[in-house]
Amino acid sequence: MKLDLGNITAFVTVARAGGFREGARLSGNSASRLSEQVRRLESQLGVRLFNRSTRSVALTEAGESLLARLAPALGEMELALDVVNSFRNRPAGNLKLNVPTAVARLVLPHIIPDFLAAYPEIRVDIIVEESFVDVFAEGCDAGIRYDESLEQDMIAVPIGPRFQRFAAAASPEYLARCGTPSHPRDLLEHACIRGRFASGATHPWEFERGDESLALHTNGPLIVRPGGGTDLAVEAACAGTGIVYLFEDWLQPYFANGRLVPILRDWWPQFPGPKLYYSGRRLVPTPLRTFIDFIKANPARS
């Protein structure tokens, strides 16, 4: 059976987008054209690939089976076509990265603008989330994370500062009212603003000085989800709600304007900076290879 590649591509586009309108927006085609292409494919195959209603479009069992078999093949085709990019004077294409909020806020602003200025034909799509996901199943080219356990086929490249620190801080008003901790254990008697991840886990606050280190499970009146809730945690600390524990770079502007005061500075722990990771089993797309070469050639900027 000879099938039209355009019809197959239309089917995959609609399936990945979750509907004809979104598929049209992402692909640049019209929804009616995508609908007609899918209808032709269904007619040729003799099976319904989508269940359609006025409110939703969902894959049938046959559609799910077809997508599972087609997606890897189309991915390989896209990578094969991307090889042509290496023969262009200027690389082009899309680069999709999955990163945590701290990287989006503290690291990428020092890299992405200069990268886009150097390679104007590359478009960068940044997905910001805290959980460690299968970035390739999500359609991303690479991920950036801190100190994660990577599978053996992954390649990791340092990006951004090679080392960072966590810092503890509180407002002048809070310290005047509740006192200033002189040892990390004193935090157990203070109001601490904590973070809880989507998994339900609350990470301990870690401190180190010389050969001494400790991890504390603090308590306090406010718990936020890291990422979207982090700004709230900082503003609450500025308002005197309690003590915040966060990236030093994130809190530095608040130290500078006096809204927060650093505490227990001698105990702030240092940890390795983030790494960009990607699969060593796949052909590396030209935009990603260009980005990797850029951060390697500009370590000071990154």
Side-chain angles (χ1 to χ4, degrees):
M1 180 184 297
K2 185 176 181 180
L3 299 176
D4 186 291
L5 182 59
N7 295 342
I8 295 173
T9 302
F11 161 72
V12 174
T13 298
V14 174
R16 286 175 172 172
F20 289 95
R21 289 185 179 178
E22 182 65 11
R25 186 185 69 81
L26 294 174
S27 66
N29 288 322
S30 66
S32 59
R33 175 174 173 77
L34 288 177
S35 180
E36 176 60 24
Q37 288 177 302
V38 170
R39 187 196 64 76
R40 288 201 298 265
L41 181 60
E42 289 177 324
S43 177
Q44 192 169 9
L45 293 175
V47 296
R48 181 178 292 275
L49 300 175
F50 293 100
N51 288 318
R52 303 167 176 83
S53 71
T54 56
R55 294 185 177 182
S56 65
V57 174
L59 285 166
T60 63
E61 184 178 355
E64 290 179 351
S65 178
L66 180 61
L67 179 64
R69 298 297 298 271
L70 283 177
L74 287 176
E76 290 300 319
M77 288 178 60
E78 291 170 357
L79 288 173
L81 291 173
D82 186 68
V83 172
V84 178
N85 248 335
S86 63
F87 294 95
R88 297 168 56 95
N89 290 330
R90 293 195 301 182
N94 298 326
L95 172 62
K96 191 172 184 180
L97 302 175
N98 186 293
V99 310
T101 304
V103 168
R105 181 169 186 141
L106 304 177
V107 177
L108 293 185
H110 303 290
I111 300 173
I112 294 298
D114 290 338
F115 176 72
L116 292 176
Y119 300 99
E121 294 183 37
I122 292 179
R123 184 177 66 180
V124 178
D125 185 356
I126 304 294
I127 308 300
V128 180
E129 59 184 342
E130 300 305 308
S131 58
F132 187 70
V133 299
D134 185 341
V135 297
F136 309 113
E138 297 292 321
C140 297
D141 298 298
I144 301 177
R145 286 294 186 275
Y146 286 91
D147 195 26
E148 298 285 357
S149 295
L150 302 181
E151 297 179 10
Q152 291 184 351
D153 66 327
M154 295 292 178
I155 298 174
V157 178
I159 181 171
R162 298 304 180 253
F163 293 95
Q164 293 178 275
R165 292 199 300 176
F166 277 117
S171 70
E173 293 77 13
Y174 176 88
L175 297 176
R177 185 175 75 248
C178 301
T180 301
S182 58
H183 190 279
R185 292 191 186 90
D186 295 341
L187 294 172
L188 298 176
E189 305 300 324
H190 281 265
C192 296
I193 301 170
R194 298 172 293 158
R196 176 179 290 148
F197 290 91
S199 64
T202 56
H203 285 192
W205 290 12
E206 298 180 349
F207 297 91
E208 60 185 32
R209 186 175 66 179
D211 296 331
E212 187 177 1
S213 63
L214 66 162
L216 301 172
H217 287 279
T218 56
N219 290 293
L222 178 62
I223 301 175
V224 301
R225 177 76 60 84
T230 304
D231 283 331
L232 171 60
V234 175
E235 287 301 321
C238 291
T241 301
I243 297 172
V244 68
Y245 178 82
L246 193 58
F247 290 87
E248 178 184 6
D249 294 341
W250 198 313
L251 297 179
Q252 193 60 51
Y254 299 89
F255 297 155
N257 62 26
R259 296 186 69 195
L260 290 176
V261 176
I263 59 174
L264 301 170
R265 189 189 291 270
D266 292 343
W267 288 89
W268 291 355
Q270 180 175 275
F271 57 93
K275 291 182 175 62
L276 178 141
Y277 66 94
Y278 60 98
S279 175
R281 292 183 178 179
R282 300 184 176 196
L283 177 68
V284 179
T286 296
L288 176 57
R289 170 53 59 193
T290 304
F291 186 67
I292 293 169
D293 291 342
F294 182 83
I295 62 177
K296 286 182 175 179
N298 299 275
R301 179 183 288 118
S302 71

